[in-house]
Amino acid sequence: MKRFAVVGHLAATSGTFSLNDLAGSGGRMDVLCRCINSSFFLSHDLRRDVECYLVLCGEPGPEKTVLFRGSEVRYLSPDERSSAALIKKALSIPCGDEFRESTPGVYVRRGGLARLLAGIPFAVLDEAGEDVRTVPALPEAYLLSDHHNFTAEEEALIAGYSRYSVGPRSLHADHTITVLLNEMDRRES
Amino acid sequence: MKRFAVVGHLAATSGTFSLNDLAGSGGRMDVLCRCINSSFFLSHDLRRDVECYLVLCGEPGPEKTVLFRGSEVRYLSPDERSSAALIKKALSIPCGDEFRESTPGVYVRRGGLARLLAGIPFAVLDEAGEDVRTVPALPEAYLLSDHHNFTAEEEALIAGYSRYSVGPRSLHADHTITVLLNEMDRRES
């Protein structure tokens, strides 16, 4: 199972944001929607072996984590508005301590990065990390940040984690996922 | 100069499509918007050495070509709605035989693929093509199709063109651009 987790530092934690203003009222929810797209979509197919965790840290709080499971997800189209609608739905149901399904293959629970890291051995995508093309064995789970860097508090949580880079330029999170999946595809083929 | 051209087989040729329904009323304009995103966006920077041509072949016709120039473009944000708004604006001005600027760095003219191919030596991105990682020298200009394959008429126009692949899986056009730019970044670094 391949796993990606993306921290949305300003991303809305309530389902009241507008689908017509994902960047503003959604707290750059557009960034996370593009990460859903890049995690799952192939040409006329979905990557069923991927899970993507969105760590939402914005208003009104507290933090929530939304999980998309490729093996189960339905009603997901490639456009930002489609994944945003599924996130909005997830944020609109009562949120408990355990993942609860809001639509097929989409789940939501309370809690943020600390809890997520406690359960899954993530590597960190970081432009200063080791090149994914040359590392002998690639990890299966990767943590990324949205348009903001990891905070000092988050960096403390991931101190000592393995770090990997996808190339010489600093890329958006969704582009990083696309390049990384291409490397994984090549190794599997 | 790096150039990408994407054929939008159903993409609207009038500015009346809805920003709230890019996939439906825009004729899968969302696909082209994501290609704009992947052509230009770096983390906190724009690729100024890229041009992206969108060949719009949908209703109501006739075909139009919208050009985004990285060296000049303004008011472009990463979200689909942002590039869609610039495309909508371009499709709303009188369209002539030569490129005319609608907003800074965005241009529109009449004509489709045949005219575009007459002016620029494109290579074709095709999963059956040569692997971009192993080709000694990469071309600078690439033609891609949206969610539909090239039509028989289009294939006739590009018969004999060099063809390149970005890997073993068939990817969306925007993901293909991202992987290709990563290969170019690596060669330039």
Side-chain angles (χ1 to χ4, degrees), chain A residues 101-164:
Chain A
E101 195 168 32
S102 49
T103 54
V106 184
Y107 301 80
V108 62
R109 76 174 180 199
R110 265 197 292 262
L113 185 60
R115 180 164 181 204
L116 186 62
L117 295 179
I120 299 171
F122 282 99
V124 176
L125 281 161
D126 178 337
E127 44 195 301
E130 188 176 359
D131 187 347
V132 295
R133 281 205 192 176
T134 54
V135 61
L138 284 173
E140 290 196 330
Y142 297 86
L143 177 68
L144 303 93
S145 189
D146 62 359
H147 61 300
H148 287 314
N149 291 333
F150 291 116
T151 64
E153 189 175 285
E154 288 159 357
E155 284 289 359
L157 289 173
I158 58 178
Y161 278 49
S162 301
R163 291 181 185 244
Y164 297 92

Side-chain angles (χ1 to χ4, degrees), chain B residues 1-145:
Chain B
M1 179 67 69
K2 302 175 181 104
R3 291 188 168 97
F4 300 103
V6 190
V7 178
H9 289 96
L10 306 174
T13 43
S14 141
T16 55
F17 67 87
S18 167
L19 293 178
N20 298 338
D21 184 24
L22 299 179
S25 80
R28 294 308 307 276
M29 194 64 82
D30 62 303
V31 177
L32 303 185
C33 293
R34 288 192 296 279
C35 289
I36 294 298
N37 171 297
S38 59
S39 293
F40 294 109
F41 282 95
L42 289 164
S43 186
H44 306 292
D45 202 1
L46 275 184
R47 294 182 184 273
R48 298 292 179 185
D49 62 341
V50 173
E51 291 182 352
C52 187
Y53 296 80
L54 306 179
V55 180
L56 313 177
C57 308
E59 297 297 328
E63 294 177 348
K64 293 181 181 175
T65 301
V66 172
L67 162 62
F68 282 68
R69 281 203 177 118
S71 58
E72 302 169 1
V73 72
R74 293 184 60 188
Y75 315 126
L76 179 63
S77 296
D79 57 298
E80 291 169 9
R81 197 178 175 93
S82 167
S83 42
L86 297 181
I87 294 167
K88 192 173 159 82
K89 184 78 182 287
L91 295 178
S92 301
I93 69 169
C95 186
D97 283 332
E98 301 305 323
F99 276 121
R100 187 175 161 199
E101 194 168 33
S102 49
T103 55
V106 183
Y107 301 80
V108 63
R109 76 174 179 199
R110 266 197 291 263
L113 185 60
R115 181 165 178 202
L116 186 63
L117 295 179
I120 300 171
F122 282 99
V124 177
L125 282 161
D126 178 335
E127 47 195 297
E130 189 178 358
D131 187 348
V132 295
R133 282 205 191 177
T134 53
V135 61
L138 284 172
E140 290 196 329
Y142 297 87
L143 176 68
L144 304 92
S145 187

Side-chain angles (χ1 to χ4, degrees), chain A residues 37 131 133 175 183 186, chain B residues 37 131 133 175 183 186:
Chain A
N37 171 298
D131 187 347
R133 281 205 192 176
H175 298 169
E183 177 63 28
R186 287 169 172 275
Chain B
N37 171 297
D131 187 348
R133 282 205 191 177
H175 298 169
E183 176 63 26
R186 288 171 171 272

Side-chain angles (χ1 to χ4, degrees), chain B residues 170-189:
Chain B
S170 181
L171 304 183
H172 281 205
D174 61 312
H175 298 169
T176 302
I177 291 171
T178 297
V179 173
L180 180 54
L181 283 169
N182 178 256
E183 176 63 26
M184 291 173 151
D185 289 343
R186 288 171 171 272
R187 291 181 182 222
E188 287 169 10
S189 77

